[in-house]
């Protein structure tokens, strides 16, 4: 089992920034992917950004150039720096960790972009 604890969500004005954090604990040795998905009201959950083996990054087209994912293996933590936020970025953001055989999800953190 892997437990994921997220933090860093909140309310921000358009054009502002937030940084999300997600720390993994438990059976972490098999984790090879960590990252973020999001789900807006009435929409399906979608990929935001993931990082594989702490090196290879993949971003949704809608966030390229604005968001940056990084990881600190010593802290078992993945970060999502979100800049130039837009109202359409409003969603619940979920941390994901992937091990052979399955995915684990965090509880989600709300990000609201509004003036």
């Amino acid at each position: 089992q892997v437990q994921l604890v997220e933090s860093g969500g909140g309310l921000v004005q358009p054009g502002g920034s937030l940084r999300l954090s997600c720390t993994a604990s438990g059976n972490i040795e098999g984790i090879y992917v960590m990252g973020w998905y999001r789900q807006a009201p009435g929409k399906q959950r979608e990929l935001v950004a993931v990082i594989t083996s702490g090196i290879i990054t993949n971003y949704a087209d809608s966030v390229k150039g604005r968001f940056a994912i990084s990881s600190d293996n010593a802290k078992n933590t993945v970060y999502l720096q979100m800049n130039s936020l837009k109202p359409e970025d409003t969603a619940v953001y979920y941390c994901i960790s992937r091990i052979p055989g399955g995915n684990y999800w965090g509880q989600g953190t709300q990000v609201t972009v509004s003036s």
Side-chain angles (χ1 to χ4, degrees):
Q1 293 286 333
V2 175
Q3 293 78 45
L4 301 172
V5 178
E6 302 136 329
S7 62
L11 172 64
V12 64
Q13 293 185 341
S17 298
L18 283 174
R19 188 174 84 152
L20 305 182
S21 301
C22 172
T23 299
S25 61
N27 186 20
I28 63 172
E29 289 77 14
I31 295 176
Y32 64 99
V33 176
M34 288 192 73
W36 299 90
Y37 280 65
R38 68 186 180 187
Q39 188 166 18
K43 295 187 177 181
Q44 290 187 331
R45 191 172 297 189
E46 63 177 5
L47 170 74
V48 178
V50 292
I51 184 165
T52 301
S53 301
I55 299 173
I56 302 169
T57 58
N58 185 32
Y59 294 92
D61 287 343
S62 59
V63 306
K64 284 180 181 177
R66 300 188 298 122
F67 291 10
I69 190 169
S70 61
S71 63
D72 184 336
N73 291 336
K75 296 181 178 180
N76 304 315
T77 298
V78 63
Y79 304 97
L80 185 68
Q81 179 65 43
M82 305 186 293
N83 300 323
S84 302
L85 282 160
K86 304 175 180 180
E88 51 263 44
D89 294 317
T90 295
V92 178
Y93 284 68
Y94 295 92
C95 180
I96 182 174
S97 69
R98 187 167 297 154
I99 63 171
N103 297 326
Y104 290 90
W105 295 92
Q107 80 283 359
T109 185
Q110 177 70 46
V111 171
T112 302
V113 185
S114 175
S115 55

